[in-house]
């Protein structure tokens, strides 16, 4: 980590002096900033990626095409954590950081960051790859599995809404609309509807920032949520789909389209440059599977109630509105969790509906009605579950 002087305002990338080019058999990356900021650089494997973190840098006006160079693949950048932004570049071949440095002009105060990537063997790349130890970037400790709150005893039902994507991960995009912004807007609207109905509501993100899948679930645990609803509006590269769909967790997807959708959602952490190595825990997985024996039927009942509520309020749901797949964000063992695909941005009719505030208000009322019906039925069954 190289720290610079304390910045006096938000640093911006200067596009005119920013880009990448082949050099010395490798790649040279240049970024010009309006001032110096704390930063760090590292590589990750599986897939091979270059990651640059900055203390809040504004990338407005920067075209990813500036970084087109032999050896670099897709490039993305944006907000990553509160106060931090991230740049991620896929690597088409093994390239390791050979030199990296930031210099600040004593005359203008502008900062020039140069990174040189040199070719290495795949074995050497793997040996050198990995995020540096830094508590500001580490994922949260796994939360203990605790029994869900008894809502009737402890107060109003507590709902965690999870607007998908955000920051460096904009999600699906169509017609000048991106999924991250749209779902944050809908989450705020839905929160108001649910609060007026007497529920407590917590959002996993309040701004356009990246939140890892594990942190989303951890925030639901910290909030002691009674239920968790993840909000999305995806896009299909091929085929046509329309209408709302509610997903529950399963190891085997209910259909090929659901499997592909879950794979795209679960890749969000990889695309944002998170190091997921060494996260498997077989014993923990077994314990969570046991906990889900109680939670999963409740999640499936919630999905059915939400589909009924949405269909009644909007008159429009998918032809197969109840589906299942291995969405990582639904893996809280002790919280009934569902994922709502509000529609598909790749379908013009759905795009028109989702960008219409009046239609979103109807959708929000449908979700509210579904949650309210589920809560009543779940409370009636709670005494049976405790016996």
């Amino acid at each position: 980590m190289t720290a610079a002087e304390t910045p006096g305002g938000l640093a911006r990338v200067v596009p005119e002096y920013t880009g990448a080019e082949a050099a010395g058999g490798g790649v040279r990356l240049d970024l010009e900033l309006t001032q110096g900021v704390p930063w760090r650089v590292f590589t990750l494997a599986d897939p091979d990626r270059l990651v640059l973190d900055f203390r809040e840098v504004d990338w407005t006006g920067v075209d990813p095409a500036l970084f087109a160079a032999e050896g670099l693949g897709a490039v993305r950048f944006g907000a990553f954590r509160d106060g931090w932004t991230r740049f991620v570049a896929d690597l088409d071949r093994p390239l390791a950081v050979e030199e990296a440095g930031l210099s600040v002009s004593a005359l203008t105060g502008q900062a020039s960051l140069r990174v040189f990537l040199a070719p290495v063997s795949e074995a050497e790349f793997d040996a050198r790859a990995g995020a540096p130890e830094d508590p500001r970037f580490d994922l949260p400790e796994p939360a203990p599995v605790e029994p869900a709150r008894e809502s009737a005893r402890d107060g109003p039902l507590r709902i965690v809404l999870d607007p998908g994507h955000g920051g460096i991960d904009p999600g699906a995009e169509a017609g000048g609309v991106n999924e991250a912004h749209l779902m944050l807007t809908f989450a705020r609207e839905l929160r108001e509807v649910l609060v007026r109905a007497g529920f407590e509501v917590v959002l996993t993100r309040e701004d356009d920032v990246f939140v890892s899948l594990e942190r989303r679930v951890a925030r639901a645990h910290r909030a002691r949520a009674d239920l968790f609803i993840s909000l999305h509006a995806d896009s299909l590269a091929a085929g046509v789909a329309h209408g709302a769909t509610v997903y529950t967790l399963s190891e085997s997807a209910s259909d090929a389209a659901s499997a592909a959708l879950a794979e795209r959602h679960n890749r969000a952490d990889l695309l944002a440059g998170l190091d997921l190595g060494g996260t498997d825990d077989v014993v923990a997985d077994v314990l969570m599977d046991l906990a889900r024996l109680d939670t999963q039927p409740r999640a499936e009942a919630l999905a059915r109630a939400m589909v009924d509520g949405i269909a009644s309020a909007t008159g429009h749901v998918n032809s197969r509105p109840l589906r299942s797949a291995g969405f990582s964000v639904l893996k809280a063992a002790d919280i009934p969790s569902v994922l709502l695909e509000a529609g598909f941005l790749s379908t013009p009719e759905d795009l028109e509906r989702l960008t219409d505030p009046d239609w979103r208000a109807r959708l929000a009322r449908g979700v509210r009605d579904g949650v309210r019906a589920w809560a009543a039925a779940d409370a009636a069954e709670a005494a049976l579950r405790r016996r």
Side-chain angles (χ1 to χ4, degrees):
M1 171 72 71
T2 300
E5 299 172 15
T6 302
L10 186 65
R12 292 180 292 104
V13 178
V14 182
E16 293 82 357
Y17 304 102
T18 293
E21 63 180 3
V27 176
R28 191 183 74 208
L29 190 75
D30 291 294
L31 288 98
E32 186 77 9
L33 306 174
T34 53
Q35 62 185 27
V37 295
W39 63 282
R40 68 176 191 172
V41 61
F42 57 94
T43 54
L44 294 174
D46 299 322
D48 295 352
R49 291 156 287 163
L50 170 73
V51 179
L52 279 161
D53 286 326
F54 301 90
R55 183 66 183 175
E56 203 155 14
V57 168
D58 182 0
W59 293 81
T60 301
V62 180
D63 187 347
L66 291 173
F67 302 98
E70 184 182 354
L72 295 187
V75 167
R76 49 213 169 265
F77 40 77
F80 177 62
R81 299 269 170 83
D82 291 342
W84 293 87
T85 52
R86 172 162 284 191
F87 171 97
V88 183
D90 294 338
L91 300 177
D92 294 335
R93 54 194 172 94
L95 294 168
V97 178
E98 183 169 287
E99 295 179 14
L102 182 142
S103 59
V104 179
S105 169
L107 182 63
T108 66
Q110 289 199 171
S112 299
L113 174 64
R114 174 165 293 181
V115 178
F116 180 67
L117 303 173
V120 294
S121 68
E122 190 67 56
E124 183 178 351
F125 180 91
D126 291 344
R128 295 169 62 176
E133 293 279 344
D134 190 333
R136 289 171 295 182
F137 289 87
D138 288 347
L139 292 173
E141 291 297 319
V145 175
E146 299 177 358
R149 298 184 323 137
E150 292 295 340
S151 302
R153 185 186 64 203
D154 295 342
L157 196 76
R158 188 172 298 156
I159 304 167
V160 168
L161 298 179
D162 173 45
H165 307 282
I168 192 172
D169 172 28
E173 299 180 90
V177 175
N178 78 49
E179 184 180 4
H181 290 162
L182 183 60
M183 287 301 98
L184 181 57
T185 298
F186 179 57
R188 290 167 173 163
E189 295 166 345
L190 178 56
R191 174 173 57 188
E192 294 304 311
V193 171
L194 291 171
V195 167
R196 286 197 298 270
F199 300 109
E200 292 182 7
V201 181
V202 176
L203 268 59
T204 58
R205 65 179 180 94
E206 295 276 359
D207 300 296
D208 183 27
V209 297
F210 174 80
V211 182
S212 70
L213 299 175
E214 185 174 343
R215 280 187 179 273
R216 293 173 191 269
V217 177
R219 289 178 181 181
H221 278 119
R222 281 201 302 273
R224 300 209 65 191
D226 291 298
L227 60 91
F228 177 92
I229 303 174
S230 192
L231 304 171
H232 291 264
D234 216 274
S235 180
L236 297 180
V240 176
H242 58 84
T245 309
V246 182
Y247 287 86
T248 54
L249 178 69
S250 70
E251 287 189 15
S252 57
S254 55
D255 55 271
S258 296
L261 188 66
E263 183 180 358
R264 288 202 300 277
H265 283 240
N266 292 346
R267 279 181 56 83
D269 284 4
L270 283 174
L271 293 175
L274 289 191
D275 185 0
L276 305 183
T279 59
D280 292 338
D281 187 329
V282 175
V283 174
D285 285 347
V286 171
L287 293 175
M288 288 191 292
D289 286 342
L290 291 173
R292 289 191 189 103
L293 292 176
D294 172 70
T295 306
Q296 191 62 20
R298 300 174 65 206
E300 292 167 358
L302 172 62
R304 291 191 294 270
M306 282 178 53
V307 165
D308 290 343
I310 293 169
S312 296
T314 68
H316 185 75
V317 293
N318 189 270
S319 58
R320 292 184 57 198
L322 285 169
R323 304 194 187 203
S324 61
F327 292 97
S328 293
V329 78
L330 300 183
K331 290 185 177 180
D334 52 337
I335 306 171
S337 304
V338 298
L339 185 147
L340 170 63
E341 284 285 351
F344 293 86
L345 297 184
S346 50
T347 303
E349 295 83 359
D350 274 8
L351 179 60
E352 182 178 357
R353 293 186 188 98
L354 290 167
T355 52
D356 179 358
D358 291 335
W359 192 89
R360 290 199 308 271
R362 291 162 55 196
L363 177 62
R365 291 194 294 271
V367 174
R368 175 204 62 194
D369 294 345
V371 170
R372 194 151 48 187
W374 173 83
D378 191 67
E381 294 173 1
L384 297 176
R385 288 197 301 271
R386 288 196 297 268
R387 288 179 182 174

